[in-house]
Amino acid sequence: MKKLKFSLISVLLISIFVFSSPSGLKVYNLKIKGSKEIELGVGSGLGIEEGLSGYLYFSSKGKTEKVLITVIQAEPNRSVAILERPLPENARIIYAVFFPSRKILREEVVVEAFRYPEKLTTLPAAEIVKGGKEIKESMKDSVADALLDAGVPQIGMGGLTKAIAVRGLARRRSLLLVDGTRVNTDRRTGPSAHFISPFLIDHIEVIKGPTSVFYGSDAIAGVVNMHTLEPDLNLGFNGTLFSGYSSSSDRKNVALSFGKGFGKVGFITAFDLVSADDYQSPLGKVSHSGYNRENLFFKTELTSSGRSFDLMVLQSHGWDIGKPMWSNPNKITWYPKENHILIKGGYKRSSFLGKNIDFNVNFYLHPYSRKTHSEKWGDFLLKKEEAEVSSFDYGLDVALNKVYRRTRIIFGMDFKGVDKMNAKTNTWHFSAPEVVEEALHQEPIVNGRKTTAGFFFTFDYNTDRIDLTLGARLDEIFTAAEGWEKKENKAVSAFSGISLLLTKNIAAFLSAGRAFRAPSLSELYYSGLTGRGYVIGNPGLSPETSYNLEAGVRYFSKNAFLGVYIFKYWIHDMIERYRSEESIYTYGNIEEGILKGAEIEYELRPTKFLTISGNFISYKGTTPEDEPLNDIPPMRAFVKIRAEKGKVFSSLEYIHQWEYRNPGPAEIPIEAFDLLNLRAGLSFSSRVSINLAVENLFDETIFARPDPDAPPEPSRTFKAGILCKF
């Protein structure tokens, strides 16, 4: 702990000393374009953006002078700046200096949490936005890992298969979207999204709170919407090549993307390949934590006179995906293969059936399959199990969006489902080496089907100081499988939220909502092998219904942002997981689960080149009898000090997690820990940059999750990546 505190103070002092210099971004590659315009050519450096201001230095009649200059056009290959006054005749340009803009922090961040663009600072909900640049700089293995430092917890045993748990609510209470399309599969503990490469992400929005009104089932805790790379309709042929390496798992990553714009139409395509061995921890190698993954991605967009059409295809193939089980080294589990194909299309038309009425329609198709293999060893192989699950997910939603003065009204319907879900298991017991004592074949789910039809309405009223959002939704859910009685449920969702601009720099919000989660097909009907062990389904499960209250205050200025949020959820008929004996689990409804907590997020800019940001989360989940719930994470604080000047950046990340002494029914206590990471980057030009990182700097032994099967986190890890643009 003393070493960590000393490192934090040292890096902070050095950063302030080195990066508080008033000098800005120097640009030498300049060309006079007109009497008051200057062209900034290729190689002018990173950090050029529209609205950026500075000074152009030039010599005239033997004297060095300067004139104010502002960027009016910023593109990767060419930028244009305008001068405050024309240059004298025969003036010779020396260089330009640009200073980082001092906009109000996060004021211009626009999110689409409620199905339409809205400023983050006035949204009546807590939300996180993680940019693609920051994601790529971190060189994380998965989306779940990339969001952990943003205050989004995770559950799971380890390796690549950890799952996102917004506010500690996983197991289909945190809805995962890709470009607005749900990708929660019915044989998953939660939205792990490990099949999607962080390289393909443009940015991620995480909205916290009940959002079933906008998205239907599985959105009790919130929504994680991953926005993939977008084609640039006005940019010629362009691309990016990335190569990365991580030492603890000998992880190798290569990725390539390229696209082209033609004015009204454009496309982008990408390929990503990752291979990782079992990683090293301070206690030794973590067996069966390696994995292999490849992604193929394509997106196109067409716009024409108030209309637009987009199509996205994401194909993901994983193989030999390890499932580390630290508590039982004699049991080996892995996924020999996992396949996803996600196809999403959308059509938008403005001025539909009248002025200021927009029409949106979206569809998705998502065939999915996965194999699981498990072996139990003693002096010889005692038991071998295999399971194969496949399904076909699909969905369609249609919405009319009417804007009248300060009011926005959305009517919509959606229809989504899971079809042809089949699960097969095979089990072999051995009495001696290669001597089969018993063989068993089962098909726990045959032709499983789940369909949901939903109708929703939202109303938004916005002024300069008030943002009022109201919504209601009705869903009807049908669930069936061969050999089981058909189930039918109805669910009503509601949301009301108001955001008030109290002063120029302070906004507050209050919201209340009702959300729901229908049991998945696997929770109802699947009994068999899982990545964790063996699970027994419960066809008598009832849907969950939650009542949610939330409040928050945000402060934003040119050099500071602070958000403080509190919430409380009452989840009736909560579906809880129970561990009956070693590696055997089942599900059951409890009368009520109560979750409450507080969150803090902040960002400070004491100088133009120094940023201090971070977050703090504290949650508590219990039954009415004060018994603890599963998956509620320990208290956790994250601090990041980032210094950036010109083409160089460096950052220090400090994480402290408190001890966990009150675990849920399927969990164990864990100790507190401190963790320190260092990152740095250098841009050689606007086209080539490198990123370096050292994670777990002091090689601490860390058990991060109260999962009895979770292994220790990786030991000291060195990471390197190079990014080339063309």
Side-chain angles (χ1 to χ4, degrees):
M1 185 67 182
K2 290 182 178 179
K3 291 186 293 184
L4 289 172
K5 289 180 178 178
F6 175 78
S7 300
L8 275 170
I9 295 171
S10 300
V11 173
L12 177 59
L13 292 175
I14 292 171
S15 300
I16 293 175
F17 176 78
V18 174
F19 290 90
S20 60
S21 165
S23 60
L25 174 62
K26 288 186 178 181
V27 178
Y28 293 92
N29 191 359
L30 305 169
K31 185 188 299 182
I32 298 176
K33 186 181 178 185
S35 63
K36 293 182 64 175
E37 287 191 358
I38 296 292
E39 183 177 298
L40 288 64
V42 176
S44 58
L46 299 181
I48 299 298
E49 58 183 25
E50 289 185 15
L52 204 63
S53 296
Y55 291 103
L56 175 71
Y57 288 85
F58 63 93
S59 64
S60 176
K61 297 180 181 181
K63 293 182 180 181
T64 299
E65 301 182 46
K66 66 180 181 180
V67 61
L68 188 65
I69 186 172
T70 304
V71 177
I72 60 172
Q73 180 182 347
E75 296 178 2
N77 297 327
R78 173 181 165 276
S79 299
V80 177
I82 189 169
L83 306 177
E84 184 181 37
R85 66 178 189 273
L87 295 178
E89 250 183 79
N90 301 320
R92 185 175 66 85
I93 296 175
I94 304 175
Y95 60 83
V97 177
F98 292 96
F99 297 100
S101 57
R102 303 288 283 178
K103 300 171 183 175
I104 293 178
L105 289 183
R106 309 197 188 187
E107 183 185 41
E108 296 186 354
V109 177
V110 175
V111 296
E112 298 182 9
F114 294 163
R115 287 181 173 256
Y116 55 86
E118 188 167 3
K119 280 189 175 183
L120 176 61
T121 51
T122 58
L123 189 74
E127 180 154 358
I128 297 167
V129 178
K130 189 98 169 179
K133 179 183 177 183
E134 185 180 1
I135 294 171
K136 291 176 177 62
E137 284 180 358
S138 68
M139 297 180 286
K140 296 292 187 180
D141 291 4
S142 67
V143 171
D145 288 341
L147 288 174
L148 182 61
D149 294 342
V152 181
Q154 54 185 218
I155 65 167
M157 294 160 61
L160 187 67
T161 58
K162 298 187 291 290
I164 294 168
V166 177
R167 287 179 168 167
L169 292 176
R171 310 187 189 283
R172 298 177 191 85
R173 301 181 189 98
S174 299
L175 178 62
L176 186 70
L177 307 175
V178 175
D179 290 340
T181 298
R182 63 170 52 222
V183 291
N184 286 31
T185 56
D186 253 46
R187 256 309 304 142
R188 276 271 175 234
T189 58
S192 59
H194 63 257
F195 65 92
I196 301 175
S197 166
F199 178 79
L200 303 178
I201 302 301
D202 179 78
H203 67 282
I204 304 174
E205 296 178 16
V206 182
I207 178 172
K208 299 180 179 181
T211 48
S212 284
V213 163
F214 309 98
Y215 301 102
S217 179
D218 304 346
I220 287 178
V223 170
V224 178
N225 193 0
M226 298 184 296
H227 296 265
T228 57
L229 301 173
E230 292 287 345
D232 191 325
L233 305 186
N234 299 311
L235 190 62
F237 183 80
N238 64 96
T240 302
L241 175 65
F242 173 79
S243 180
Y245 177 78
S246 178
S247 64
S248 65
S249 62
D250 196 29
R251 179 181 183 268
K252 306 173 188 70
N253 178 204
V254 61
L256 172 68
S257 70
F258 61 89
K260 185 174 176 59
F262 301 91
K264 293 185 178 181
V265 64
F267 76 91
I268 186 169
T269 187
F271 169 77
D272 177 84
L273 176 64
V274 181
S275 179
D277 296 333
D278 296 340
Y279 71 77
Q280 292 284 346
S281 79
L283 300 181
K285 181 176 286 189
V286 176
S287 299
H288 303 285
S289 59
Y291 62 92
N292 300 275
R293 179 191 67 211
E294 65 177 8
N295 284 158
L296 286 173
F297 171 80
F298 174 80
K299 181 185 284 188
T300 184
E301 182 179 350
L302 170 66
T303 61
S304 176
S305 59
R307 297 181 177 91
S308 68
F309 171 78
D310 65 88
L311 177 67
M312 184 269 287
V313 180
L314 173 62
Q315 186 272 337
S316 178
H317 171 57
W319 67 99
D320 294 338
I321 303 171
K323 191 83 172 179
M325 186 170 290
W326 189 255
S327 63
N328 189 354
N330 293 325
K331 184 169 183 180
I332 302 169
T333 304
W334 73 95
Y335 302 130
K337 70 174 184 178
E338 180 169 355
N339 294 307
H340 296 260
I341 300 176
L342 179 62
I343 302 172
K344 183 263 181 183
Y347 173 76
K348 298 179 182 178
R349 181 178 175 181
S350 58
S351 300
F352 178 77
L353 297 178
K355 189 177 180 181
N356 296 327
I357 299 179
D358 296 338
F359 172 74
N360 298 331
V361 58
N362 295 279
F363 74 90
Y364 70 90
L365 307 171
H366 182 196
Y368 157 81
S369 65
R370 187 184 67 187
K371 288 186 176 180
T372 306
H373 188 104
S374 179
E375 296 177 355
K376 185 176 181 180
W377 288 80
D379 295 331
F380 55 89
L381 179 61
L382 301 174
K383 184 180 180 182
K384 183 171 74 172
E385 296 176 278
E386 293 179 350
E388 184 171 0
V389 179
S390 61
S391 67
F392 184 83
D393 299 5
Y394 59 90
L396 173 72
D397 72 76
V398 180
L400 289 174
N401 187 331
K402 168 68 175 177
V403 178
Y404 179 72
R405 295 183 179 177
R406 296 181 177 274
T407 302
R408 181 189 300 270
I409 299 174
I410 301 178
F411 291 95
M413 61 164 291
D414 49 43
F415 182 78
K416 48 188 175 285
V418 180
D419 196 19
K420 298 180 181 178
M421 182 176 181
N422 294 288
K424 302 176 183 178
T425 64
N426 292 290
T427 305
W428 297 269
H429 294 271
F430 298 86
S431 58
E434 299 184 4
V435 177
V436 178
E437 181 181 32
E438 181 185 20
L440 180 65
H441 173 79
Q442 293 178 308
E443 296 186 12
I445 300 181
V446 178
N447 197 23
R449 302 177 304 281
K450 180 180 178 181
T451 58
T452 304
F455 302 87
F456 62 90
F457 161 81
T458 66
F459 170 88
D460 182 80
Y461 176 75
N462 189 294
T463 70
D464 294 336
R465 303 186 67 86
I466 298 175
D467 189 340
L468 175 65
T469 303
L470 303 172
R473 180 186 181 95
L474 174 64
D475 284 279
E476 192 162 11
I477 307 105
F478 299 91
T479 307
E482 289 187 13
W484 299 97
E485 184 179 351
K486 185 176 181 180
K487 297 174 71 73
E488 179 180 348
N489 298 103
K490 289 184 172 65
V492 176
S493 305
F495 180 85
S496 61
I498 185 169
S499 177
L500 301 173
L501 191 61
L502 303 178
T503 71
K504 180 182 177 181
N505 301 104
I506 299 176
F509 73 84
L510 177 67
S511 67
R514 186 181 194 269
F516 78 99
R517 177 176 90 89
S520 68
L521 288 168
S522 59
E523 289 172 329
L524 291 168
Y525 308 128
Y526 182 80
S527 295
L529 176 67
T530 71
R532 181 177 295 276
Y534 192 89
V535 69
I536 300 172
N538 182 354
L541 290 175
S542 300
E544 296 179 351
T545 302
S546 74
Y547 296 89
N548 310 55
L549 286 176
E550 185 169 350
V553 178
R554 296 185 179 100
Y555 170 83
F556 38 89
S557 68
K558 289 185 178 180
N559 55 12
F561 173 87
L562 175 66
V564 180
Y565 316 107
I566 58 173
F567 66 90
K568 189 170 185 178
Y569 300 165
W570 295 264
I571 306 175
H572 297 291
D573 294 319
M574 187 175 188
I575 300 172
E576 189 69 302
R577 178 174 60 93
Y578 296 93
R579 189 181 190 185
S580 57
E581 54 184 280
E582 183 182 350
S583 300
I584 298 179
Y585 297 83
T586 189
Y587 306 101
N589 288 108
I590 63 175
E591 179 184 351
E592 185 178 58
I594 303 170
L595 176 66
K596 58 185 177 181
E599 300 165 331
I600 300 173
E601 59 172 335
Y602 59 89
E603 183 176 347
L604 307 171
R605 291 185 183 171
T607 76
K608 293 180 179 180
F609 307 103
L610 185 66
T611 303
I612 303 172
S613 60
N615 55 75
F616 168 79
I617 60 172
S618 176
Y619 306 141
K620 182 179 180 181
T622 63
T623 66
E625 294 76 30
D626 208 32
E627 295 294 327
L629 300 176
N630 285 320
D631 303 330
I632 309 303
M635 279 198 306
R636 186 180 178 99
F638 172 77
V639 181
K640 180 177 181 179
I641 304 171
R642 178 187 171 94
E644 183 171 6
K645 183 177 180 182
K647 300 179 181 181
V648 182
F649 84 86
S650 63
S651 68
L652 178 146
E653 299 171 353
Y654 170 63
I655 300 104
H656 176 75
Q657 182 169 292
W658 279 258
E659 66 179 359
Y660 193 69
R661 286 287 176 255
N662 202 17
E667 297 176 329
I668 60 172
I670 56 174
E671 299 296 328
F673 69 81
D674 296 280
L675 179 66
L676 195 69
N677 302 325
L678 297 177
R679 305 189 191 279
L682 171 64
S683 300
F684 295 101
S685 69
S686 60
R687 294 180 178 273
V688 181
S689 61
I690 61 170
N691 292 309
L692 304 171
V694 184
E695 298 180 348
N696 194 0
L697 181 64
F698 295 121
D699 204 24
E700 303 284 346
T701 299
I702 295 170
F703 288 88
R705 295 170 302 283
D707 190 312
D709 298 317
E713 297 300 288
S715 58
R716 183 187 297 114
T717 301
F718 298 92
K719 292 184 176 182
I722 182 168
L723 186 71
C724 302
K725 297 181 180 180
F726 56 88

